[in-house]
Amino acid sequence: MVTPPEISKQVEELRRDLDRHNHLYYVLDQPEISDAEYDRLFSELKDLEEEYPGLQSPDSPTQRVGAEPLAAFTQVRHPLPMLSLANARNELELEDWHHRIIKLLTDAGQKPEDAGQEAENDLLKTDNIAFVVEPKIDGLAISLIYENGSLARGSTRGNGEVGEDVTNNLRTIHAIPLALRLEPGELPPAVVEVRGEIYLPLAAFQRYNEERAAAGEPTFANPRNAAAGSVRQLDPRIAARRPLSIWCYQVGYSEGLELESHSQALDWMISHGFKVNPLVERYADFTAVIDACRGWEERRSELDYDIDGAVVKIDSYAMHDALGVVGRDPRWAVAFKFAPSTAVTHLLKIGVNVGRTGALNPYAVMEPVEVGGVTVSQATLHNEEDINRKDIREGDWVVIQRAGDVIPQVVSPVIQKRTGAEQEFRLPDLCPSCGSHTVRPEGEVVVRCPNRSCPSQIVESIKHFVSKGAMDVDGVGERLVERLFSLGFLKNMADLYTLKPEELIGLETSSSVNQQGTTVSHRLQEKSVANIFNALDDSRKRPFHRVLFALGIRHVGSINAQLLVSSFHSVDALMTASPEEISQVEGIGPIIAEAVRDYFAEPHNLETVERLRRAGLQFEVDAGEAAAPKPLAGKTFVLTGTLSSLGRAEAKEKIEALGGKVSGSVGKGTDFVVAGENPGSKLAKAVKLEKQILSEEEFLATITS
Ligand code: IVH
């Protein structure tokens, strides 16, 4: 059938549009249209291609999935060997590498030679040296070969010389262009090889392992193994289901492309549609190189993918050639290694503590293990449902991870290490602190101790009361609160203001064992006691909204306390308000309003408030506070990735209701970046600019609690 020219044109335009939106979404993380709109364009193209089979092309966005499963992968020889990297385990070794290459380049530049060589020697002058620092992605190295602008072959690194042809799996990864993005009229190079690292975002890794554990299938010890497992699937439909992505870091073999430096190669890749990590930076000064490596080691946990180091590369290709390769490692690059951020250890038992609202919080007690450079023996486990969904059992070997958070997390059990002796977990029917029968309110996953006089709840609520964001009582830390409670000096937060100096002076707060093996007690001295009383005095001046937050009313975090105070100027006004009146406040919903009403309906809470009022705390606003601006006024937020509990539009509305602004890109003026699942390059940019990054949970806590 002859294809009418207007149809060919339409198909071409659809492909160009889809390709552009694919690039905006998967490479730049700046979507311009909704998923629904993308799907609509996609089906339009698919229908036309079906109707006019003559128009089909392997570069079409419709051709990412659909290849048949293979019986085995074919072996392919790389046009240039895929090398590895020498390691620097610390800053000293990094400095050594720097001195070595400077010496080698100086020697190479000074060889006696003819006139022709002189110009070449100029290129080796070390005063002009520059470096590129890149994150070392812990994934799977691959090579992509584009012939005349189209993806012709994708392969794994294999042994560096020969790898496996995994083209059909790589085609399913949206961040890999099926064709080079060219300027109008630009001719593609005859051949170009782009190399990069395939990775699985951490959230996807967790989900993947959860699914496998639930199905009783072997789990992966880290995201690298999971990514490699997905790329090495014989059925491309399986790889297509994993949200794999790529960071491209090198131009390898090429014909018809002249590049002089690595930074030129990076620019070429970016302008031709490849995903290059925005953290990559060029430096002319080696001190800045070291600072960058150190900086990433500190901030790595904020990224949503695993990095196991930083790669330092010399920028100039002339210098690469002069330095050459030793064994498999080029002299012009070095990997500054970090400690691995995942580890496998033995889960000895699941402990339970009771929070200030009575929630029973399970936590993992593990055999100490080093992860991300620190030794950990405890990790959080969110709730019983989460533990069972992940099929984590007492006695299991577990994968733990320190990422996105400083607190380590248990990702999944290592199913293949089970002996059968592992025990499924259930939260206790009796509160571990006071022995009350626990309850599970309908519709909640949290199990609670209902006893208001439960010692754990009281201690935790006093800790909250004195904490930084609340009354900020300097010198009264968690240990001291526990000690004073166990001695009976504190039964309630109001007792803080009736403490007597003689109760504190000489009080043993902790003990330690010295080098001689004798136990030494640490006791409060007069000076520290005087400081504590000054801090308590100071806390009497905290504004009403801080006091309201410090009371620890459920759902009333610092922002909600400010919202409530902006409408109710005294505790008396709030106490007598009906839930309907309370929920009139913008940003305050019925659940919060009920919680406020419930709190003030308790006689013993009223008594606490009265005692605190008598102690001189602020229970009404002064004139300045009443006119206080909205809590997020002047703050600019950027949203990236998918938020699971609310849409981006809804999140924007919330932020704006609280006086904040939402911007589409990360820049100097950004205050917070909210990173949902599968965040894109905006997250990396935020890390680079050292912006405060909030997980979805932290963001929700900011706006709702
Ligand atoms: S450059 C000679 N750059 O690290 C150049 N490699 O240990 C070698 N890797 O096989 C590659 N991030 O899989 C380079 N930004 C990066 C990298 C990187 C991760 C991996 C790559 C390589 C291994 C070498």
Side-chain angles (χ1 to χ4, degrees):
M1 179 169 50
V2 184
T3 312
E6 66 276 14
I7 298 289
S8 306
K9 192 157 165 261
Q10 194 185 347
V11 162
E12 212 172 284
E13 268 169 23
L14 277 170
R15 282 183 189 155
R16 208 174 31 237
D17 278 358
L18 281 163
D19 203 48
R20 182 165 160 270
H21 291 301
N22 187 72
H23 182 245
L24 281 167
Y25 187 92
Y26 289 101
V27 178
L28 303 180
D29 184 30
Q30 272 163 358
E32 281 180 5
I33 58 171
S34 66
D35 292 359
E37 178 68 1
Y38 184 91
D39 292 345
R40 197 188 58 73
L41 294 172
F42 191 88
S43 354
E44 203 178 315
L45 175 62
K46 216 165 157 96
D47 291 348
L48 286 172
E49 286 178 350
E50 265 163 34
E51 204 174 326
Y52 302 94
L55 285 178
Q56 277 179 11
S57 145
D59 287 357
S60 173
T62 57
Q63 299 305 300
R64 285 197 179 266
V65 204
E68 289 300 312
L70 299 172
F73 294 119
T74 5
Q75 305 262 303
V76 286
R77 182 164 288 278
H78 300 300
L80 289 174
M82 291 182 78
L83 300 172
S84 33
L85 291 167
N87 290 333
R89 279 162 304 173
N90 50 47
E91 287 173 24
L92 223 64
E93 290 190 6
L94 198 55
E95 304 251 21
D96 282 350
W97 172 79
H98 179 224
H99 292 137
R100 246 187 345 266
I101 51 124
I102 296 287
K103 177 156 190 333
L104 286 165
L105 287 172
T106 315
D107 293 349
Q110 281 169 354
K111 274 199 208 121
E113 56 254 66
D114 50 63
Q117 189 102 39
E118 222 161 81
E120 214 166 279
N121 285 350
D122 267 359
L123 294 175
L124 305 183
K125 285 228 169 79
T126 53
D127 346 342
N128 302 330
I129 196 164
F131 303 90
V132 174
V133 184
E134 304 178 356
K136 185 169 190 298
I137 314 297
D138 196 10
L140 175 77
I142 55 116
S143 147
L144 300 166
I145 294 192
Y146 291 81
E147 287 172 1
N148 300 317
S150 292
L151 176 62
R153 197 181 76 206
S155 56
T156 60
R157 176 176 183 276
N159 64 7
E161 304 284 338
V162 175
E164 283 173 328
D165 185 335
V166 288
T167 315
N168 290 340
N169 289 344
L170 296 180
R171 291 177 68 88
T172 67
I173 301 175
H174 283 267
I176 295 181
L178 296 177
L180 301 182
R181 293 178 64 78
L182 299 166
E183 292 290 324
E186 183 188 346
L187 286 177
V191 184
V192 61
E193 182 196 21
V194 169
R195 292 174 177 177
E197 198 87 351
I198 301 290
Y199 70 94
L200 191 65
L202 294 175
F205 162 63
Q206 283 202 18
R207 221 176 325 110
Y208 188 20
N209 256 3
E210 275 168 26
E211 283 167 22
R212 293 180 68 95
E217 291 171 21
T219 46
F220 291 103
N222 53 49
R224 179 192 51 242
N225 292 1
S230 305
V231 169
R232 301 195 61 257
Q233 285 287 339
L234 290 165
D235 184 351
R237 280 166 298 197
I238 298 179
R241 284 205 289 271
R242 305 280 159 234
L244 296 165
S245 194
I246 188 169
W247 292 118
C248 297
Y249 55 64
Q250 200 179 18
V251 170
Y253 180 79
S254 70
E255 285 173 29
L257 177 65
E258 292 300 324
L259 297 168
E260 287 172 4
S261 64
H262 182 55
S263 50
Q264 275 185 12
L266 293 168
D267 288 341
W268 184 90
M269 289 192 284
I270 294 170
S271 60
H272 288 80
F274 294 91
K275 192 167 158 229
V276 172
N277 196 302
L279 288 174
V280 173
E281 191 90 65
R282 184 179 187 271
Y283 301 96
D285 168 18
F286 204 71
T287 330
V289 167
I290 295 181
D291 284 349
C293 292
R294 202 184 298 135
W296 292 352
E297 179 148 28
E298 278 161 21
R299 311 204 77 206
R300 67 193 283 207
S301 65
E302 295 175 0
L303 297 170
D304 82 313
Y305 48 88
D306 223 4
I307 65 175
D308 58 347
V311 185
V312 182
K313 299 175 180 173
I314 292 177
D315 195 26
S316 146
Y317 280 175
M319 290 184 179
H320 291 197
D321 293 342
L323 287 166
V325 175
V326 232
R328 303 227 127 249
D329 307 334
R331 283 203 189 85
W332 46 263
V334 67
F336 178 74
K337 294 284 274 193
F338 305 157
S341 65
T342 47
V344 171
T345 187
H346 201 181
L347 172 62
L348 303 171
K349 88 177 181 91
I350 297 180
V352 177
N353 58 32
V354 184
R356 71 183 158 91
T357 61
L360 266 58
N361 303 315
Y363 61 93
V365 181
M366 306 168 303
E367 231 161 63
V369 64
E370 197 179 307
V371 53
V374 290
T375 303
V376 300
S377 56
Q378 284 202 1
T380 42
L381 289 165
H382 299 291
N383 52 53
E384 186 183 84
E385 198 184 42
D386 193 54
I387 295 170
N388 291 324
R389 189 168 43 81
K390 292 179 177 164
D391 193 21
I392 293 167
R393 304 179 187 178
E394 280 182 310
D396 258 330
W397 285 85
V398 288
V399 178
I400 61 163
Q401 174 175 292
R402 268 186 80 224
D405 207 347
V406 216
I407 305 165
Q409 281 186 41
V410 178
V411 176
S412 57
V414 183
I415 303 277
Q416 52 275 44
K417 283 203 177 203
R418 286 226 166 121
T419 61
E422 297 77 12
Q423 293 290 317
E424 275 181 44
F425 177 72
R426 234 189 87 81
L427 277 168
D429 293 329
L430 301 180
C431 169
S433 171
C434 68
S436 302
H437 281 276
T438 56
V439 292
R440 190 187 298 257
E442 210 174 310
E444 283 192 30
V445 287
V446 176
V447 172
R448 284 180 200 282
C449 162
N451 174 13
R452 279 179 290 100
S453 326
C454 169
S456 270
Q457 292 187 44
I458 296 172
V459 172
E460 293 305 315
S461 63
I462 302 174
K463 286 182 190 170
H464 168 72
F465 184 85
V466 297
S467 69
K468 257 208 156 2
M471 301 307 279
D472 192 11
V473 187
D474 216 17
V476 182
E478 300 204 340
R479 295 284 283 275
L480 184 60
V481 169
E482 280 167 16
R483 188 90 184 102
L484 292 172
F485 182 82
S486 68
L487 290 169
F489 293 153
L490 281 185
K491 295 193 181 72
N492 174 294
M493 50 189 73
D495 295 337
L496 283 163
Y497 297 94
T498 53
L499 284 172
K500 297 183 186 64
E502 56 272 24
E503 288 171 332
L504 299 184
I505 295 170
L507 191 74
E508 185 183 319
T509 49
S510 61
S511 59
S512 57
V513 179
N514 69 11
Q515 281 177 338
Q516 283 75 45
T518 1
T519 307
V520 189
S521 339
H522 302 278
R523 293 175 185 280
L524 279 181
Q525 307 295 322
E526 254 169 68
K527 177 98 176 53
S528 343
V529 173
N531 287 344
I532 290 173
F533 279 90
N534 282 337
L536 281 166
D537 240 2
D538 253 10
S539 76
R540 293 184 162 93
K541 299 187 211 114
R542 304 278 177 261
F544 175 36
H545 70 85
R546 295 269 294 267
V547 179
L548 188 60
F549 168 55
L551 291 177
I553 304 172
R554 270 189 82 191
H555 305 298
V556 181
S558 63
I559 298 236
N560 283 345
Q562 290 180 65
L563 289 175
L564 287 168
V565 166
S566 65
S567 292
F568 295 94
H569 295 180
S570 71
V571 78
D572 296 316
L574 191 59
M575 245 183 229
T576 48
S578 67
E580 292 71 33
E581 284 164 333
I582 299 172
S583 53
Q584 294 292 305
V585 180
E586 205 181 313
I588 300 290
I591 295 179
I592 306 168
E594 286 290 335
V596 173
R597 200 267 317 264
D598 289 354
Y599 179 88
F600 290 114
E602 279 290 342
H604 94 121
N605 288 337
L606 293 178
E607 191 193 318
T608 304
V609 169
E610 282 321 310
R611 286 184 62 204
L612 290 172
R613 197 195 315 239
R614 263 183 275 130
L617 270 59
Q618 306 296 315
F619 278 99
E620 42 191 81
V621 291
D622 56 33
E625 201 190 343
K630 294 189 169 185
L632 299 182
K635 300 287 180 220
T636 302
F637 285 71
V638 172
L639 308 171
T640 175
T642 317
L643 302 174
S644 61
S645 54
L646 74 177
R648 277 204 197 189
E650 207 184 323
K652 185 164 184 270
E653 221 169 82
K654 265 272 186 192
I655 292 167
E656 287 169 352
L658 298 171
K661 275 197 309 209
V662 176
S663 152
S665 58
V666 181
K668 275 213 185 81
T670 308
D671 295 291
F672 299 100
V673 175
V674 182
E677 232 179 74
N678 296 331
S681 52
K682 281 184 214 163
L683 178 62
K685 180 100 184 277
V687 172
K688 187 165 176 175
L689 296 182
E690 304 197 1
K691 296 296 176 190
Q692 190 168 348
I693 295 161
L694 304 175
S695 64
E696 178 168 353
E697 259 171 34
E698 288 164 334
F699 169 64
L700 291 176
T702 311
I703 59 168
T704 59
S705 62

